[in-house]
Amino acid sequence: MIRISRLAAATAVALALGAGAAPAMSQTAARPAAAARPQAKPRWPGLPPGAVEAYATMRDGTKLAANVFKPEGKGPWPVIMTRTPYLKDGRIDPEKDPKGARMKEALAKQAKHYTDAGYVYVLQDVRGKGRSGGFYAAFENDVEDGYDSVEWAARQPWSNGKVGLTGGSAMGITSNEAAMAAPPHLVAAYVVVAPQDLLKNSYMGGVLKEKDVIGWQRDQGIAEDVLDQGRRRVANDIFWQRGAMSANARFIRIPIYNVGGWYDIFNRGDVANFEYLQNQGAKGARGNQKLYMGPFGHGNLSGGLEYPGLDRLALGGDQEIRWFDHWLKGIDNGIMAEPPVTYVMMAAAEKGAYSPKNRILRSANWPPAYREVRYYLEPDKALSTRPPAAAEAKISYRDDPANPVPTVGGANLTFERGPMDQRAIPARQDYLRFETPALDRDVAISGPVKVELYGATDGPDTDFMAKLVDVYPDGYEALVLDAPIRARYRHGRMPDEVRMMTPNAPEELTIDLWNTAITFEKGHRIALHVTSTNSPRFEVNPNTGEAPGEHRLPPRVAVNSVYMDASHPSALVLPVVYPDDAKK
């Protein structure tokens, strides 16, 4: 998710290791050599209950620490491993911090779920974190370290040589990176909420996710000059590609169960990773993937909607154990006979008025069969399935970087998230609300959503933002998806694809809103909101055309236009499906 400077990371590691340093050996060292006697290394007091600490040596000699939890009885057993930057022991000093003790108990409880199922569970600190050596540079070493760690686990006396990887978020990223390295003893993985590419996720449409990327790093004490370096890294390059699933998933040879959330920050990744591996992956991966998508985010949802029983997700659940039982133990439990895709078709979900049309559906692939339906923007701010006939039509507004549109929900990590009510954004000239009439029947969609926007600006560069919104009969404007595009990256983010805009000349910009599955119920309205800012979710474009991270020119007010005529048919493009129960 977020790259951290080596200097800042090294400082944090030094403090962490200093707090948990091994006892001094001065008395032994003071004795004559002949008098010295071997002494057993004292057990590290910070371990969660039931854990034994072990060290794996990486190819460069760096030692990574892990907690090993073994089942009762006599092994060897198959192994499930998680590689974490969030400390295998929780907080270092549980005696001074009661929360630390509770965290250790939670870690032990998580491990017990695996050991009760007959697996050794290995929880490893990644390089430069917790008890592990080396310097922490987020996700830069996890290809090689993941390979070496899996192979280390396979060689241990308690292991039968079959290893699975599991984890969510950062631990999902480390699992994917290890899988790309294709260690011979890695058999399967269970990955929860992980991206496809960090570049595409952190800079959606070429626009930096300001609060979740820069804000999170700043909270970790990263220096401002280092943050500015991150602001400049918008173009694609070899360093981004090295850990990118889009470039390297072809090397994966194992079955992976991907689990994601419709409101999650990694929505796109779980779906895209499944799609490629299931349909184009290498032998061992192709045809052996699973996908589950539910109505949850990267944390509890904010706002007035809720999905009881469908919005919670935990690692170590029965579905995960079934997955590993099949692949690591060879148990014929029927999981591979089930459809590859399970997803929640969302519907009306206001608190106290939950619709029964929220339901679990299954599919042979993702996306399910659909047809694209275009809802065209009209000058009166309606959405219509009829293509525009006017020779000229547009709406213009002034985009002032000093007065950005505020963020209200979305696929956020560090602040309020999910399907919040967009009525919190008052009427303003730079926030365009387009919507259909009240629907006379349900409209169900499953798959990728995009906006084909013909936009213009009076300067060299600007941003356009789009939101898919479900408008309830009582007026609640539930945010479903939102995404931006920076105009200069409309052709791509390879260095030779960057193009400034010609002032006041409309061009087509495709905004990828990612995937969803939702039924817009009868009586609701389908809405598209268009603007140029969404702060602090996204970085505000100064509209100057300066290179990313530069601040030499003062921000300028841009006049931006959205075209909607016969030659420039701006449209919301929805993947409409017709499941049998949606026809009723």
Side-chain angles (χ1 to χ4, degrees), residues 95-401:
E95 294 182 359
K96 295 181 180 179
D97 186 351
K99 290 183 180 179
R102 291 195 294 271
M103 188 178 297
K104 292 183 190 304
E105 292 173 1
L107 290 170
K109 183 178 179 180
Q110 177 187 8
K112 188 174 185 299
H113 195 89
Y114 298 110
T115 58
D116 284 353
Y119 296 95
V120 174
Y121 180 59
V122 177
L123 181 60
Q124 182 189 60
D125 283 334
V126 298
R127 180 181 294 253
K129 283 288 189 173
R131 299 270 288 168
S132 289
F135 295 98
Y136 179 63
F139 312 117
E140 291 186 8
N141 305 108
D142 290 309
V143 173
E144 294 90 346
D145 286 356
Y147 181 105
D148 293 348
S149 297
V150 167
E151 292 304 292
W152 165 82
R155 293 192 303 267
Q156 300 312 299
W158 31 259
S159 171
N160 69 359
K162 294 184 177 181
V163 181
L165 286 168
T166 189
S169 192
M171 290 77 81
I173 297 173
T174 61
S175 296
N176 280 337
E177 295 205 358
M180 290 188 291
H185 291 88
L186 180 61
V187 178
Y190 193 87
V191 175
V192 180
V193 293
Q196 184 184 42
D197 294 0
L198 294 172
L199 171 63
K200 293 177 182 177
N201 191 80
S202 297
Y203 302 81
M204 290 177 64
V207 184
L208 176 66
K209 286 168 40 173
E210 178 76 27
K211 186 170 177 61
D212 276 350
V213 177
I214 297 299
W216 186 91
Q217 288 184 335
R218 185 178 286 122
D219 288 345
Q220 310 310 306
I222 307 302
E224 290 298 319
D225 63 327
V226 177
L227 298 182
D228 283 340
Q229 292 175 23
R231 292 182 187 279
R232 298 185 183 102
R233 295 196 61 208
V234 188
N236 208 343
D237 59 33
I238 185 61
F239 303 104
W240 283 118
Q241 289 300 294
R242 188 173 180 274
M245 287 284 281
S246 63
N248 301 307
R250 58 198 172 113
F251 300 113
I252 293 176
R253 302 197 298 259
I254 62 167
I256 299 178
Y257 201 126
N258 269 281
V259 178
W262 293 133
Y263 301 115
D264 188 75
I265 60 174
F266 298 138
N267 165 321
R268 185 183 188 278
D270 297 292
V271 170
N273 292 339
F274 166 84
E275 284 185 290
Y276 177 85
L277 291 171
Q278 179 72 352
N279 299 292
Q280 300 170 257
K283 183 179 180 181
R286 187 182 306 174
N288 288 325
Q289 308 297 304
K290 293 283 187 181
L291 175 67
Y292 176 86
M293 295 295 295
F296 53 85
H298 222 83
N300 294 332
L301 296 180
S302 309
L305 305 188
E306 62 181 358
Y307 302 87
L310 297 175
D311 59 353
R312 298 287 180 179
L313 181 76
L315 286 166
D318 293 339
Q319 191 77 327
E320 181 188 8
I321 297 301
R322 287 183 70 217
W323 182 248
F324 284 125
D325 280 351
H326 177 85
W327 289 107
L328 270 64
K329 293 183 178 180
I331 297 175
D332 185 7
N333 54 22
I335 194 167
M336 294 309 293
E338 298 167 3
V341 178
T342 303
Y343 64 100
V344 173
M345 170 64 78
M346 300 182 293
E350 280 190 291
K351 294 176 180 178
Y354 184 72
S355 170
K357 293 181 180 178
N358 287 280
R359 58 209 183 278
I360 294 175
L361 298 178
R362 292 176 174 82
S363 175
N365 211 331
W366 187 267
Y370 69 85
R371 66 183 180 92
E372 288 188 342
V373 176
R374 282 168 173 77
Y375 289 81
Y376 296 97
L377 283 62
E378 297 189 336
D380 61 357
K381 296 184 181 177
L383 288 177
S384 171
T385 54
R386 297 185 304 273
E392 295 184 8
K394 69 177 182 180
I395 298 177
S396 299
Y397 58 88
R398 291 166 55 83
D399 171 38
D400 184 356

Side-chain angles (χ1 to χ4, degrees), residues 514-550:
W514 295 1
N515 286 259
T516 194
I518 187 170
T519 297
F520 297 94
E521 295 197 38
K522 180 180 178 180
H524 289 225
R525 298 169 187 262
I526 300 171
L528 174 69
H529 295 181
V530 178
T531 184
S532 287
T533 50
N534 183 353
S535 179
R537 174 159 161 72
F538 295 110
E539 178 186 49
V540 175
N541 193 327
N543 299 324
T544 61
E546 279 189 297
E550 298 293 332

